[in-house]
Amino acid sequence: MAALTIGQVARQSGVGVETLRFYERTGLIEEPPRRDSGYRQYPVDTVRRVRFIRRAKALGFTLKEISDLLSLRVDTDSTCADVRDRARSKILDIEERIRRLEGMRDALKQLAATCAKEGRTSECPILEALYRKEQDDDEG
Amino acid sequence: MAALTIGQVARQSGVGVETLRFYERTGLIEEPPRRDSGYRQYPVDTVRRVRFIRRAKALGFTLKEISDLLSLRVDTDSTCADVRDRARSKILDIEERIRRLEGMRDALKQLAATCAKEGRTSECPILEALYRKEQDDDEG
DNA sequence: TTAAACCCCGTACCCTACTACAGGGTCAAG
DNA sequence: CTTGACCCTGTAGTAGGGTACGGGGTTTAA
């Protein structure tokens, strides 16, 4: 199976070479095998992993959270039931994020519509739109 | 209308006093009027604004992006059409995030289900689940 | 066989978004 | 009229997540 150099992985996954070394230091990607020269030899799979990291980061997950997500597997340390529970808790977390984003989207839609009609908007229309229904849940 | 001290705003919106001063320095919240003593006097509205900032941050928006969202209004510098366009572009952005989160959620659901059946999972099942359909779109 | 393009390690630096003093004034309760 | 909680303005430090050298070895294609 073809192995990739760090530069190839970097280009294919859209991050810098330094970032890959940084991810390795912090344990987010495994230390790859080396050639005799010391050059890293990445399995092609690494590209997929790094792309996932990049996307998850763009969605607001921290590297710690991403690491948790990527380590969801049944192994010597975690049972099937444990993995299932952790996955479910992540699902709830993600669904909460989706709901909040939908709230923002709807507020923006309302703003765009209102603006089209009235041609003038309030002091901070997105807050108006978001809170019009007084949905004041208080989360931590 | 009742005005709030910085400490009251902080407690009611779930951030620290220092954070409010920081947001003021960076222009994310307006400089409030002061008493003769120099104490800040916040309008009650500020609480709503700061809560929004906190939530948007948790969703992965940067302070810069949040500032853009909050400044979506028709004023001397921006026309209605301009606001509408910016709102629509934010909507597309948010919908993209929602789609990606739904993808992650579905992958996690599949993982939880697979795990229940097979009791043992692959090296990185969430990546397996996410990429099973080889949906390799390449975004910047 | 050499020159461009890569790779190695280590350390230092950068940006964002806070967070924590220090040193000093203010306010409300008792 | 004092005491403790609160506020003020600096300025400095921190954590997370990279990014940029410096100094040097390796590959590869001409």
Side-chain angles (χ1 to χ4, degrees), chain B residues 20-33:
Chain B
L20 291 174
R21 292 201 271 252
F22 171 74
Y23 286 169
E24 186 179 317
R25 279 203 297 287
T26 58
L28 208 51
I29 59 180
E30 248 184 306
E31 287 194 40

Side-chain angles (χ1 to χ4, degrees), chain A residues 51 73 80 115 123 136, chain B residues 51 55 73 80 115 123 136:
Chain A
R51 283 186 184 169
R73 72 171 63 85
C80 176
C115 176
E123 186 53 30
D136 253 41
Chain B
R51 283 186 184 169
R55 288 171 188 191
R73 70 172 63 86
C80 176
C115 176
E123 186 53 30
D136 252 38

